[in-house]
Amino acid sequence: MAAALRGMKAEGGWGVVCTEWCSIHPSSDDLPHPNAALWSDRHIKDQALMTDAVHDHGALAGVELWFGGARSANHYTRETAYDVASIPNLAGHPYQPRSMDKSDIRNLRHWHREAALRAKAAEFDIVYVYATHGYLLSHFLSAETNDRTDEYGGSMENRARLLRELIEETKEAVGDRCAVAVRYSVGGDDGESDTLTTERRDCLEMLAEYPDLWDININNYEREMGVSRFFESGSLEEYMAFVKSVTTKPVVTVGRFTSPDAMASQVRRGIVDFIGAARPSIADPFLPQKIFEGRLEDIRECIGCNICYTGDGLGTPIRCTQNPTMGEEYRRQWHPEIIAQKDSDSTVLIVGAGPAGLEAARMLGQRGYRVMLAEATRTLGGRVTREAALPGLNEWIRVRDYRVQQIEKMNEVEIFRESELNSEDVISTGADHVVIATGASWRKDGLGRSHPFAYAASELQGNILTPDDIMDGQTPSGHTVVYDDDSFYMGGLIAEKICLTGQQVTLVTPADVVSAWCDYTSERFYVQKRLLELGVALQTGFQLVSYNGHDVRVVNTYTDRTLAISANALVMVTARQPNDRLYRALETRWQEDSAIGIRSVTRIGDCEAPALIAASVYAGHRFAREFDIKPDAEMNPRYE
Ligand code: ADP
Ligand code: SF4
């Protein structure tokens, strides 16, 4: 699966395609996080699948040799982890690594060399030494964690000794055929001391000419991998702008770049020699080819939502909001740019122009079908248009804009705005097939994650609002309680939006932390930080009991302790109700009455099952891919 995904990026024009972190030894096992491994010769053929796929399209393949140290709990292998000292497991697991003695260091160097030789045997072109992100080598480099008294501790030169040895030994082992790169961080940790920042620079200067390429980032992964809500693209520049002045070797970094102008500017201004990209290459594997061909308007820009990153914490394959084919290159054999041409002259009516409807229209249009896209409101985009207006989410509008731009170029797709259809309207269009993509609405009745049934009407009285009301422009006045039993991004955003209007806000959630699922998108810390900085009062671990229009009563989820919070309004961020009335009205009718002439009615996206925007885009895409195609063995996903 990973080989097909990476081959696709190479086909899209990226010059170098790298693995994710690649463990060199079983004592550095990161499961359930999905990572590559070169533990033994048997792994060579696995990695060669990727290098072959990448070389087939003329790109170079890179491998990021990695040793986790105190971040590895080794849940799978049950090996003891090693690090510079026996510090706590930094991923929060109840294991500590063993403090490395001289023979452990010798072993590590041997394992690294062996893995490098395997990488060469697997035909990699660039072999990395991974010295960042709070893994083993960062701890050797840092005076804060390295308290050794031998030649690997003390002075900067001593603390950098292991990194230098690994670079030298990797070059000696594979340098005849492979370039050796170092992934290195220059700072950027929240609260990092000036001394540490200076030391990182001193170390880089000391090793400046050792590797063939410097791949620069910052130690704080949540910041480097920052969501667009909190971090702008190119946010690493302030930390790494000095690097090219201290080395003659080429330098690369990342920055969630999607604008060719921003990329060119970094190169022109001497910040980097190469543009690195993870998320932009996920959202659009063909970004380089589109730049090369001058098709800039066809670039599908990353929105910085980090749904791609959730697979890391969940231990599942990668998914992307903007690119529904990501992770499906092998499993469903989807190509991001190519889709089968139409199989019939059927016409399709799509009701609802949210992400599901827009994506279905785009892909059916690309296949050559005649499509009518009806949208109740004047604005296209559905929930994306509404959510992108929330604080910090403006980049999300790209989900709509990319699709509308593509559709507007197609003669096959006709858009009907301000057309709220009922079942008679649908029938009167004469469409052969009907797709209902009418979305979902936030519930008012309190049904949520911790209370999976509605509250009694007597328990909820007074000014009760939903995120839809707030997004529609309603602003409660006076103290407002936002009750978040959804636990993803919406609760925090609604609290922030109301607070920014000058109102006092208390966010109550039955969860132990604010916006718990945002841990998977790497932004939870920043959500809570933002709310605290704005002065939003937080009550975690409290479930809603009732609201009488004056007091919101809540009960502690561990004890029976209740609280009464006086409030003028209560905003319920709990669950969503599918808007499936139209689907229900047509559901059986089209089958029972053949005179209507409709051959299928399908619901997709939130109207079928409310979920992520990524799920709606995927649902629209999948409908269009499979439409009119007879199911056969080839259509079945490969789950192996
Ligand atoms: P999804 O995420 O599944 O695409 P959204 O809620 O984002 O769902 O979008 C649904 C869209 O459907 C909204 O733009 C809404 O205005 C539109 N819609 C809902 N009901 C109708 C209807 N009866 N006729 C036309 N459009 C509708
Ligand atoms: Fe970008 Fe979101 Fe796709 Fe990740 S999931 S690549 S952040 S659009």
Side-chain angles (χ1 to χ4, degrees), residues 225 256 278-284 301-309 319-323 399 614:
M225 192 48 211
R256 215 176 72 241
R279 286 170 290 177
S281 73
I282 294 167
D284 195 343
E301 292 181 277
C302 169
I303 67 166
C305 63
N306 278 8
I307 289 302
C308 50
Y309 184 55
R319 304 283 178 252
C320 171
T321 302
Q322 276 284 58
N323 176 10
V399 174

Side-chain angles (χ1 to χ4, degrees), residues 351-357 374-377 379 381-384 419-421 437-440 582 604-607 616:
V351 188
E375 164 54 45
T377 64
T379 333
R383 66 182 285 196
V384 163
S419 304
E420 181 163 6
L421 305 192
T438 45
L582 181 59
I604 60 169
D606 289 341
C607 157
S616 288

Side-chain angles (χ1 to χ4, degrees), residues 136 172 215 325 329 337 363 369 376 380 456 475 512 552 572:
L136 176 98
E172 181 273 316
D215 186 337
T325 67
E329 301 82 356
E337 301 297 308
M363 297 317 292
Y369 286 101
L380 305 178
T475 309
D512 289 335
V552 178
M572 294 294 225

